[in-house]
Amino acid sequence: MTSTENSYRVEVLDSVEDLPAECAHMAAELGLSTFYYGTEFLRAYEREPIQQVHHTRYLLVQDTAGRVVAFVPCYVQGDPLRALDLAEGEVVLLSHVWHCSDSRLATRSEDPAVAVAVEHAMRALARELGAGRYGFINVARQGPTAPLLRAAGFTPRHIDTRYVIDLAAAGDFDGYLQKLRPNARGEYRRQLNRARDAGVVTSVRVPEGAEDPASLDLFEKLMANVGSAGYYDKERISRFLTHVPSGARIVEVHQDGELLAKSVVFLEETKIHAWAGGYDRYADEDAKRPFSSYYVLIAAILRLGFEAGVRYFEGGRRNGPFKERYGMSPVELDAYIKEVAP
């Protein structure tokens, strides 16, 4: 399917393999996340989606001279976080997937007509694929995509918050601790000291193929504890990791050979993403551990970010009180959704 709006032509592609080769470099060129908008992640999610995806399409926007102006990954999917008040079984056409916490309109142009062309193409595509609504999710309220979507007639609706730390401003892990309020700094140090005294160790490794799904059960438990049961599926994540982007690392916390906490993180040039992870707080309590495994896990990821020399730590969504207490700045996320006209 191809549509033309004003000075732009929008083509609908079926696979990431159909995108022009230059799209693989656009994220870095535009200052977008090379994790979420790199072809490795797109390919991995296309082959092994972590949440059910009914259809995957890519919008390719070109100008009248045939130059690539923008591309938009689109997915017909449900709402595992129950952020959009969908009816039971309802699906929507969205960009990006729910497991992307920083959705953008990947465009080389500031011309609002690009967003208008994308909006028209998404509406037609949603109608064709049987979705009653369409739009963007997890768009930073103060980011560059927001005004473009408003210009295309979308109205923002707050759906979530993600959390970020400027690692460069802290310098190193000790500098990060020094920037915390005294009571938070003292508590974090107590947690880490207790874990050290209890023989807790952390490790970082590059994944080699699928991870044992049993070890990913911690992811499901954490999301259930914060009210988002079903967001992670250990079997799907295990399969996804067989196609994982090259910047992936596995961070684990062990005590006496027992896995207490685990995370899949992604490194890119300027960021480290604490993308998926978990621990079982009730297991910590039942075992009467004098520390929280979660503190130890987050500290290990932060240290990895400092060692890698990236500027930002992306701490994900949910668990806001803990994250703000420990120096993470909130970034408000909006959805821009429209109904398909009859």
Side-chain angles (χ1 to χ4, degrees):
M1 183 178 78
T2 301
S3 63
T4 303
E5 297 291 341
N6 299 322
S7 301
Y8 300 102
R9 175 177 178 270
V10 184
E11 184 177 2
V12 180
L13 306 176
D14 292 332
S15 171
V16 66
E17 312 301 342
D18 299 327
L19 288 170
E22 66 186 283
C23 290
H25 311 292
M26 279 182 64
E29 171 193 331
L30 299 173
L32 279 63
S33 168
T34 54
F35 168 41
Y36 290 127
Y37 285 88
T39 50
E40 286 184 311
F41 179 88
L42 298 175
R43 183 178 295 112
Y45 214 99
E46 183 179 304
R47 293 177 179 178
E48 296 290 351
I50 298 171
Q51 284 288 331
Q52 183 178 13
V53 172
H54 300 273
H55 301 281
T56 301
R57 298 290 189 273
Y58 302 87
L59 303 183
L60 183 69
V61 184
Q62 297 171 291
D63 63 15
T64 54
R67 293 183 292 256
V68 174
V69 177
F71 78 96
V72 182
C74 297
Y75 306 84
V76 175
Q77 53 191 319
D79 179 12
L81 294 177
R82 296 173 288 281
L84 302 178
D85 300 326
L86 300 188
E88 185 69 27
E90 183 181 357
V91 295
V92 285
L93 177 71
L94 298 174
S95 186
H96 204 305
V97 295
W98 285 102
H99 289 91
C100 166
S101 61
D102 186 13
S103 297
R104 306 279 191 97
L105 176 56
T107 177
R108 288 169 164 157
S109 171
E110 297 180 359
D111 184 357
V114 174
V116 172
V118 167
E119 185 275 329
H120 289 180
M122 290 185 77
R123 180 178 60 203
L125 182 60
R127 182 181 293 113
E128 175 188 324
L129 297 178
R133 289 187 266 179
Y134 62 96
F136 288 72
I137 52 173
N138 296 328
V139 177
R141 181 170 298 169
Q142 302 302 322
T145 293
L148 293 175
L149 295 180
R150 288 195 295 269
F154 286 101
T155 300
R157 168 186 172 180
H158 183 259
I159 58 169
D160 219 326
T161 307
R162 80 175 203 269
Y163 296 89
V164 179
I165 298 175
D166 186 340
L167 299 181
D172 57 21
F173 187 73
D174 286 338
Y176 156 73
L177 289 178
Q178 283 300 122
K179 285 182 171 291
L180 300 179
R181 292 180 178 177
N183 61 341
R185 180 169 62 250
E187 178 61 21
Y188 215 139
R189 284 177 171 160
R190 276 191 294 273
Q191 293 284 339
L192 297 180
N193 288 339
R194 291 169 182 170
R196 180 200 62 209
D197 294 343
V200 171
V201 295
T202 61
S203 62
V204 178
R205 58 182 171 83
V206 177
E208 296 181 359
E211 292 288 305
D212 178 7
S215 73
L216 303 173
D217 187 55
L218 293 168
F219 295 14
E220 296 182 359
K221 289 179 178 177
L222 176 62
M223 292 308 291
N225 289 340
V226 297
S228 299
Y231 182 65
Y232 289 133
D233 181 304
K234 58 190 176 186
E235 299 289 344
R236 288 177 179 265
I237 292 177
S238 178
R239 293 194 298 269
F240 174 83
L241 290 174
T242 64
H243 304 286
V244 80
S246 56
R249 299 292 185 273
I250 304 295
V251 180
E252 293 177 320
V253 178
H254 287 89
Q255 182 186 35
D256 298 327
E258 179 184 357
L259 179 65
L260 305 184
K262 180 168 183 167
S263 182
V264 178
V265 307
F266 290 95
L267 284 164
E268 54 181 90
E269 185 175 349
T270 62
K271 296 180 179 181
I272 182 169
H273 298 262
W275 182 66
Y279 83 114
D280 186 347
R281 71 177 183 185
Y282 298 111
D284 279 355
E285 293 172 2
D286 292 344
K288 294 182 170 53
R289 296 183 183 113
F291 60 88
S292 166
S293 304
Y294 189 65
Y295 282 78
V296 182
L297 180 65
I298 296 299
I301 300 171
L302 287 171
R303 286 186 170 113
L304 177 59
F306 284 117
E307 291 169 7
V310 298
R311 174 157 192 175
Y312 296 108
F313 167 84
E314 289 279 353
R317 292 159 285 177
R318 307 300 164 97
N319 201 15
F322 175 92
K323 291 175 178 177
E324 292 195 45
R325 183 186 185 196
Y326 290 104
M328 302 189 198
S329 299
V331 177
E332 302 305 332
L333 301 177
D334 293 331
Y336 291 78
I337 306 296
K338 283 188 175 186
E339 292 191 7
V340 176

